[in-house]
Amino acid sequence: MKLIKKYFNNLSEEQLEQFSKLQELYKDWNLKINVVSRKDIDELYLRHVLHSLGIVKVMEFKAGAKVMDVGTGGGFPGIPLAILFPETQFHLVDSIGKKIKVVNEVAEGLGLQNVKTTHGRVEEVNDTYDFIVSRAVAQMETFHRWVKNKVHKKQNHALKNGILYLKGGDLSEELANFPKATIYNLPDFFEEDFFETKKVVHLPIKYRG
C-alpha cells in the first residue's frame, strides 16, 4: 500500500480501503484458484497493482467512459483501474472461466459497481469502447486484429480512442507496422527497478462502422 500512496496521494477513504483489501482477497482466492504466482502475490502491489496503474500516468478516464480489459487474468489492469475511476465502466474479458470467477469474487468483495465480466473470447464481444486495455496477452498485430472493430467513434479524451497496452522490452520490431503508436516509458513515472523496461503503448484506432 505504501507504493500506491507514494504515487497516488489524492485517493478517497473508500479507494484506500479498496486498495488495502486487494492483498487479502487475492491471497485468499489464490489458495483456491491459482491465478497469480506465489512470488507475485508477495509483491502484488508492485508487480500487479502499480503496474496496472501505469496506464493512469498516460490516460485518466472520464466519467461515463467505457473500457474493456482483454485477457484480464485475475483482474489486471481492470480491477485497479476500476477502483481509481468509479465513474468509468469496465468490462473485463477472459477465455478462462476460473480466472473470471476470481475477478467476480474480488469485484464483489471490493463492492465495485462499475465492473462487468465476460467468460469468453474477445472476438465474441459485440460492443464498442473508448479504450481497450491489456497486459501483453498477444503481439500487437494479433491484438489489434482482435479489437479493431470494438472502438467508439466519438472521442471524449485527450488521447484518441484505441488501445492502451502494458508491454515490456524492445518493441521496435513489434510496432514496426504501427507508425501511429506512441510509447510511454514507465520509468519516467515510477522509480522502482521493476519498471526498468516496462512501457504503455497507445495505439489509436479509427472507428469502423
Side-chain angles (χ1 to χ4, degrees):
M1 273 301 294
K2 286 180 183 177
L3 276 176
I4 307 306
K5 291 178 182 177
K6 176 180 177 181
Y7 293 107
F8 299 91
N9 54 16
N10 59 347
L11 299 173
S12 68
E13 287 300 315
E14 182 179 22
Q15 287 171 321
L16 286 169
E17 185 180 348
Q18 287 170 325
F19 276 121
S20 67
K21 281 182 177 178
L22 283 175
Q23 179 103 40
E24 185 182 343
L25 281 167
Y26 276 106
K27 271 193 170 178
D28 182 42
W29 274 100
N30 220 48
L31 293 172
K32 305 168 192 172
I33 302 172
N34 189 28
V35 291
V36 179
S37 74
R38 284 185 178 174
K39 181 182 178 182
D40 282 4
I41 274 287
D42 291 336
E43 295 189 78
L44 185 78
Y45 288 100
L46 173 68
R47 292 173 172 266
H48 292 283
V49 182
L50 191 59
H51 188 208
S52 297
L53 296 178
I55 288 173
V56 183
K57 297 300 183 180
V58 175
M59 165 57 58
E60 295 211 2
F61 301 114
K62 294 185 177 181
K66 288 174 63 181
V67 178
M68 178 166 62
D69 176 8
V70 176
T72 188
F76 301 101
I79 291 287
L81 292 174
I83 294 173
L84 209 59
F85 299 103
E87 301 300 317
T88 298
Q89 299 302 311
F90 290 89
H91 184 185
L92 279 54
V93 180
D94 203 285
S95 61
I96 299 174
K98 68 177 183 179
K99 293 184 176 181
I100 287 296
K101 177 176 174 58
V102 171
V103 172
N104 285 332
E105 295 293 343
V106 169
E108 186 177 336
L110 297 174
L112 294 175
Q113 301 296 312
N114 59 332
V115 170
K116 75 171 186 176
T117 63
T118 293
H119 169 213
R121 297 173 59 82
V122 64
E123 297 96 319
E124 298 161 0
V125 174
N126 293 311
D127 207 347
T128 57
Y129 304 84
D130 296 273
F131 291 96
I132 295 157
V133 301
S134 191
R135 286 207 305 174
V137 296
Q139 290 284 98
M140 183 61 88
E141 195 162 330
T142 301
F143 191 77
H144 178 265
R145 188 172 68 249
W146 289 347
V147 304
K148 63 185 179 182
N149 297 319
K150 303 186 190 303
V151 174
H152 275 334
K153 184 176 184 179
K154 188 178 179 184
Q155 306 279 335
N156 293 310
H157 295 76
L159 291 184
K160 290 183 177 177
N161 293 358
I163 294 168
L164 288 166
Y165 212 18
L166 289 160
K167 297 280 278 183
D170 182 359
L171 302 178
S172 52
E173 187 176 332
E174 182 173 343
L175 297 178
N177 294 328
F178 299 99
K180 293 185 178 179
T182 303
I183 297 173
Y184 300 86
N185 295 306
L186 287 181
D188 292 345
F189 310 106
F190 302 138
E191 62 184 11
E192 286 70 23
D193 290 343
F194 172 75
F195 296 103
E196 185 178 352
T197 64
K198 300 289 192 292
K199 303 166 178 69
V200 177
V201 179
H202 171 240
L203 179 63
I205 298 179
K206 280 189 176 179
Y207 172 79
R208 301 181 185 211

